[in-house]
Amino acid sequence: MSEFPNIRIPIGSGVEKFIDFLAENFEAFFDFIFVVSSTLIKGLEAGLLAIPWWIFIFIIFILGWYFTTLYGGLLFSFFIFLIGSFNLWPETMTTISIILISVILSLVIGIPLGIFMAFNKVLSAIMRPVLDAMQTMPSFVYLIPVIFFFPLGNVPAVIATVIYALPPVSRLTELAIRNVDREVVESAQSFGSSTMQMLTKVQLPQALPTIMAGINQTTMMALAMAVVGSMVGAQGLGERVLYAINRIDISLGFEAGISIVFLAIIIDRITGGIAERLQKHRRNGS
C-alpha cells in the first residue's frame, strides 16, 4: 500500500500562534468590541421585548403587505403569532436582535469593501480568495478562534456570523458597480462629475437592486448561523434547538426549528420585495 511520505507542513500551528498573538497583544481592542456588541444586542433585545406582541405582529403585517401582497402580510403575521403560541417569544426577539446586529455589521464592512474592490483590481484579486475561504469554510470552524477572544455568549456568535455572512454582499456590491452601464458612467464623466459624485449619484443608484440581493443573501446566511452560534453560548431559538437535541425533545425541537423557518421566510420575502420595488423605481425613473 502506497503511503504519503512523512512530511509535515504545520500551517495549523502557525494559525494557532497567530491567534495567540492577537489574544495577548490586542486584549483591550477585543474587550472594546465585546462591550459595544454586547450593549447593542442587549439594547435592541430590550427594545423589541418592550413592544407589545400585537403591535409587533401588526408591524410585520404592514411590512408584508407593503413589500409583498396583502396575503403575504396576513401570512407573515400569522407566522409570528404561531411563534408566540409556542412560548418562544423572548427567544425569537433575541434571535432577531442577533441577526440584525450581525447583518448591520456585515453591511457596514461588506458594502464599502465591495466598493473598494470594484475600483481597485489589486484589492479585488487579493480579497476574492479570502472571500472564497470565508464562504466555503465550515461555519463551525469560525467558532474556534472567537472563543479565544470573547467570553461565551451572543457576542462570539455575532462575530462568527459576520465572518460567515459578509462575502455575498461584498461580492454582489463589486459585481453591481462593475456592471453599471459604461455609457452612463462616461456621460457622468463628461459633465465633470467627481469620483464621489459618480459613485453616489450614478453607480450606487444603478447598482442598488443587485446590492439588495446581496443584503438578502447575507441576512439569510446570518439566520442560518442561529443554531451554530448556540454552540458558543448564543441565546435565542438556536439555543432551544440545541437544548432539544441534547434532551431528544421532538416537540421543542420542531417548534424552535419551524420558528427559524418562519423567520427565514418572512425576511426573505420582505427583503426580496424591497429589491423588487427598487428595481421598479429604477425602471420608472429611467
Side-chain angles (χ1 to χ4, degrees), residues 12-30:
S13 299
V15 172
E16 183 178 359
K17 290 179 181 178
F18 178 67
I19 295 297
D20 290 338
F21 170 80
L22 292 178
E24 292 175 5
N25 294 276
F26 294 90
E27 183 179 358
F29 173 70
F30 291 119

Side-chain angles (χ1 to χ4, degrees), residues 39-49 96-98 100-101:
T39 302
L40 288 174
I41 294 170
K42 290 179 180 178
L44 182 56
E45 181 183 1
L48 290 173
L49 288 172
I96 292 174
S97 302
I98 294 173
L100 285 177
I101 297 298

Side-chain angles (χ1 to χ4, degrees), residues 86-88 91 237 239-245 247-259:
F86 297 154
N87 288 329
L88 293 172
E91 291 82 0
L237 294 172
E239 180 189 31
R240 306 313 295 161
V241 172
L242 186 63
Y243 178 85
I245 292 173
R247 297 296 182 92
I248 316 179
D249 189 333
I250 298 175
S251 175
L252 176 60
F254 177 81
E255 290 177 350
I258 200 67
S259 297

Side-chain angles (χ1 to χ4, degrees), residues 70-111:
L70 176 61
Y71 171 76
L74 291 172
L75 183 63
F76 301 160
S77 57
F78 176 67
F79 283 166
I80 298 297
F81 179 81
L82 272 181
I83 293 174
S85 72
F86 297 154
N87 288 329
L88 293 172
W89 191 264
E91 291 82 0
T92 302
M93 296 302 107
T94 300
T95 298
I96 292 174
S97 302
I98 294 173
I99 292 171
L100 285 177
I101 297 298
S102 301
V103 170
I104 290 171
L105 290 175
S106 297
L107 300 185
V108 168
I109 300 170
I111 292 178

Side-chain angles (χ1 to χ4, degrees), residues 184-203:
V184 176
V185 175
E186 291 172 357
S187 175
Q189 289 175 335
S190 66
F191 281 101
S193 298
S194 65
T195 302
M196 183 58 66
Q197 288 175 329
M198 190 163 27
L199 175 66
T200 57
K201 296 183 179 180
V202 177
Q203 291 172 306

Side-chain angles (χ1 to χ4, degrees), residues 124-138 142 167 171:
S124 178
I126 295 171
M127 288 305 303
R128 282 183 181 180
V130 174
L131 294 175
D132 287 340
M134 291 168 63
Q135 200 163 10
T136 56
M137 186 78 71
Y142 298 131
R171 289 179 179 279

